[in-house]
Each structure stands twice: as C-alpha cells, then as structure tokens.
Amino acid sequence: MKRFRSTGQMSDAYFTALLLTLSGGFQDAYSYCFRGQVFANAQTGNIVLLSVHLLRGSWGNALHYLIPLGAFVAGTCFAELIRGAFRYARRLHWRQTILLLEILTLFFVAFIPVDNIANALISFVCAMQVQSFRKMRGNTYASTMCVGNLRSGTELLCAFFRTHEKNLLRDALRYGGILLTFAAGAGLGSVASLAWGAPAIWCSCVFLAAGFGLMFLSGAPGG
C-alpha cells in the first residue's frame, strides 16, 4: 500500500487552514443571517453590542450577546482540557478529536430551535477551533476571524516591498488566500442559510470533515 510522505504537520498545512477558514466564515454568516443577527465567531462585535445595550438599559438584548461570549470562554477552556487529556493519544490526534467534537456539535445545532442556545454552541465550537489551530506553515493565523490575518498579511507585504524577499510575498499571499476563503465561506453561509434554513450548518460540518480526513495524510498532525 502506498504511503504519503510526510511534508510537515497536516494541522498546519495551508489547505487544512483553508478548509477550517471556509467553515469559520460559513458559521459567522449562518449565525448572523439565520440566528438572530449575532456574530457567533466575532466576539469583538458581541462585546461592542453588549456594551451598547447595557448602557441603554436593555438587559434582555444584552444577554443576547453575553451568552456567546460566555460560551467562547468555555470553549477555549474545554479545548485546553482536551489537549491535556489526549495530547499523547496514538490512534487519534487531539486536534482531530477537537474537529470531531465540532462536527457533532454543529450537526445538532440544526435541530435547536432556540437561537441563543444555537449561537452559544457555535461560539463554543469556534473557540475550540481557534484555540487548537493557530499555525499555518509556521505563521500564526485565525480561522474564524479576519483582523489578525489582515494585519499579518499587510505587515508581510510591506516587508516584501522593503526587502524584496520572495518568501515574504509568498506568506503575504497565503494570508490573502485565507481572507478570501473566509469571505467565500461567509457568502456561502448567507446564501445557504436563506435557502435551507437551520440545516445549512451541515455544510460547515462537511468542510470540517474534509479537514479531519486531510490530517490522516501525515503521521504527525501537530504537537
């Protein structure tokens, strides 16, 4: 049986990052377009809206944005627990365990009629993903938000114009690909949510499942 030659950690591979980012953009559009205009992945926006409603005395609306924030914190802590418990697992890497939990959670989101609960679960999943997958070919990135990627890509592009080192341009273009992929995922999420409603989130499960499978192509998915 032919074996794939390991070319690095598949959890850090560029194509893996693209799949996770596609899912991240999709989730954000899904939660906004179909789940009460909440950015389940973009906690900065939720903090702004939380503050606005608190100062207006609109406690019910404030809770609407507090719930995904709390879920994000819980998801980050849970990802660290999984990492500690399964870091040395042999059959399944701990990052693959994270992806499996994401897929299962998002699958059941489609059956949840209460938007606040659905958004909390999406935020929980987002936190697990962004905490577990932070490197792309040696560069830090985020698969569920854009600000850091935009800053890093711009910085590398400026460095390329200053030094003319081709590797800087290559990495800048990779960040550009990540940003475009996030936008594509968001666009798909908005269209699918309007067309299919709650089950549209299953598209995100497909993207994550592809990333999960891709990690088997290397003997070392990451540390």
Side-chain angles (χ1 to χ4, degrees):
M1 178 178 178
K2 184 178 179 180
R3 295 181 59 86
F4 288 91
R5 180 179 298 177
S6 176
T7 56
Q9 299 177 352
M10 289 307 296
S11 61
D12 296 353
Y14 186 54
F15 193 58
T16 304
L18 291 176
L19 288 169
L20 298 182
T21 302
L22 191 65
S23 175
F26 192 101
Q27 292 168 37
D28 230 4
Y30 173 85
S31 66
Y32 186 83
C33 295
F34 187 75
R35 293 293 187 175
Q37 296 187 328
V38 171
F39 289 112
N41 289 358
Q43 301 308 317
T44 301
N46 290 333
I47 291 172
V48 171
L49 293 170
L50 171 66
S51 178
V52 168
H53 288 295
L54 283 176
L55 291 176
R56 290 178 178 176
S58 181
W59 310 112
N61 287 331
L63 181 64
H64 193 57
Y65 297 100
L66 180 62
I67 290 174
L69 283 169
F72 189 92
V73 172
T76 302
C77 294
F78 187 74
E80 282 301 293
L81 289 174
I82 293 295
R83 179 175 179 268
F86 297 99
R87 186 171 186 178
Y88 300 106
R90 295 183 178 179
R91 293 188 177 181
L92 200 66
H93 192 269
W94 71 270
R95 287 192 176 94
Q96 289 175 298
T97 301
I98 291 290
L99 288 183
L100 275 181
L101 292 172
E102 286 189 59
I103 293 167
L104 290 172
T105 302
L106 292 176
F107 178 82
F108 284 109
V109 162
F111 300 102
I112 297 175
V114 182
D115 288 343
N116 280 337
I117 298 176
N119 287 330
L121 290 175
I122 295 172
S123 293
F124 186 86
V125 161
C126 163
M128 289 198 299
Q129 182 170 309
V130 78
Q131 179 67 13
S132 304
F133 296 87
R134 293 184 282 182
K135 289 295 183 82
M136 170 190 64
R137 286 295 181 230
N139 292 309
T140 59
Y141 88 110
S143 60
T144 62
M145 56 198 75
C146 291
V147 175
N149 298 331
L150 182 60
R151 185 208 63 79
S152 297
T154 304
E155 180 184 19
L156 287 168
L157 191 60
C158 291
F160 165 73
F161 287 132
R162 186 176 63 252
T163 65
H164 303 291
E165 294 181 17
K166 292 183 178 180
N167 62 307
L168 296 174
L169 178 60
R170 177 202 61 200
D171 290 344
L173 291 175
R174 282 176 176 167
Y175 276 110
I178 290 292
L179 291 168
L180 289 175
T181 301
F182 187 92
L188 289 172
S190 65
V191 172
S193 298
L194 294 174
W196 302 327
I201 195 63
W202 292 339
C203 293
S204 191
C205 296
V206 173
F207 302 144
L208 293 174
F212 173 84
L214 188 64
M215 290 176 67
F216 282 111
L217 299 184
S218 171

